[in-house]
Amino acid sequence: MTTKTASKATLSTATLDFLRDLAVNNNRDWFQANRVRYDAAKAEFEAFITRVLHRINETQPLGATTAKDCIFRINRDVRFAKDKSPYKLNLAAGIGQGGRSSGRTDYYFHLQPNGETFIGAGMYQPTPAELAKFRQEIDYNPAGLKDIIEADDFRDYFPEIWGETLKTTPKGYAVDHPEIELLKRKQLFFSHRYTDKEVTGPNFADELARGCGLVRPYCDFLNYLFYDEQPEDGLHP
């Protein structure tokens, strides 16, 4: 896809309408009967993610990452699920160098109608070792993280904080620790929701790339902490 074509890629009401209809017809017969609609939505979503990658790549090199590297399958894994509905009710992408399977902390974009579209990033399912590193960092140097997540522009854009929190004090830390609420965190994921009107606007890819830029320092912080990965600018997050 050329830069000129990517710059025109937008999301349409037709794609949102397909997802709305899928929500009330989540079965294989309906899906196959509406395969043309799905293929159109999928192609549109791929073109849109290509545009977003192009914009992010202007400030954060993503290498040879393509939209196909980023986009998740719409099929659900129902092998161990009580809910056997075969399809997800959203289109989603893991945006960052290497795409959805990079193993890094990157940006998660979730497209779903009725105001359920969001961009998010953060500590989602940390390993015990990663969680221990996170808590150790909060114990030794809380300012590094707090300067990022308590910045006005960050909190204005990412007001929603998602994730599990311990009900008790984590082992090895005092109950009166000044950062006890952060230490109790098992997950720390920030998100920003968009209205359907915003999603179908002509400049939504630019807005989404802006949101990724705002949450990038937090991703850099986690990637440095967990994987000793230096940010592209070479500075400690």
Side-chain angles (χ1 to χ4, degrees):
M1 178 175 291
T2 65
T3 300
K4 183 176 181 180
T5 302
S7 67
K8 297 179 180 179
T10 57
L11 296 171
S12 68
T13 55
T15 290
L16 295 182
D17 286 343
F18 169 78
L19 292 171
R20 284 193 188 92
D21 292 344
L22 177 60
V24 294
N25 298 280
N26 197 338
N27 61 78
R28 288 180 177 81
D29 288 344
W30 183 89
F31 192 89
Q32 291 304 319
N34 288 268
R35 185 79 196 197
V36 172
R37 294 177 65 194
Y38 167 66
D39 288 343
K42 181 181 178 182
E44 182 177 273
F45 189 66
E46 183 177 334
F48 174 79
I49 296 300
T50 298
R51 176 178 174 182
V52 174
L53 291 173
H54 173 72
R55 291 307 310 272
I56 293 175
N57 200 50
E58 293 173 358
T59 56
Q60 179 183 352
L62 300 178
T65 305
T66 67
K68 289 183 178 180
D69 297 325
C70 300
I71 296 172
F72 292 95
R73 297 180 63 213
I74 198 169
N75 302 76
R76 295 179 64 242
D77 184 352
V78 299
R79 290 174 298 172
F80 308 107
K82 292 182 179 179
D83 178 7
K84 299 300 182 181
S85 301
Y87 305 108
K88 301 171 187 175
L89 305 182
N90 61 78
L91 295 174
I95 302 174
Q97 187 170 2
R100 65 185 181 276
S101 301
S102 70
R104 304 164 65 255
T105 303
D106 285 317
Y107 321 118
Y108 173 71
F109 176 57
H110 179 106
L111 176 66
Q112 189 169 349
N114 305 322
E116 296 298 322
T117 297
F118 68 89
I119 183 71
M123 190 171 66
Y124 178 59
Q125 291 181 326
T127 66
E130 289 169 350
L131 190 56
K133 288 182 180 180
F134 176 81
R135 287 179 175 150
Q136 184 179 62
E137 185 71 12
I138 297 305
D139 187 30
Y140 292 165
N141 180 31
L145 174 62
K146 293 177 71 175
D147 286 349
I148 296 170
I149 66 174
E150 293 182 0
D152 290 342
D153 57 350
F154 185 95
R155 293 311 302 271
D156 287 346
Y157 204 85
F158 294 97
E160 294 190 37
I161 306 176
W162 183 91
E164 295 183 32
T165 300
L166 288 175
K167 294 181 180 180
T168 58
T169 304
K171 186 177 180 180
Y173 297 96
V175 68
D176 60 349
H177 192 292
E179 304 301 338
I180 192 61
E181 293 307 315
L182 275 176
L183 290 170
K184 285 183 178 180
R185 284 279 178 182
K186 297 172 64 178
Q187 298 167 306
L188 188 61
F189 188 91
F190 292 87
S191 65
H192 175 96
R193 292 178 184 266
Y194 303 98
T195 66
D196 291 358
K197 183 176 181 180
E198 289 175 308
V199 167
T200 56
N203 300 313
F204 183 53
D206 297 340
E207 180 60 26
L208 190 62
R210 185 173 83 88
C212 292
L214 286 170
V215 79
R216 180 187 172 189
Y218 179 43
C219 292
D220 285 347
F221 172 89
L222 293 176
N223 285 323
Y224 183 88
L225 184 64
F226 295 159
Y227 318 119
D228 197 27
E229 178 180 298
Q230 288 284 355
E232 291 295 335
D233 54 19
L235 300 176
H236 191 295

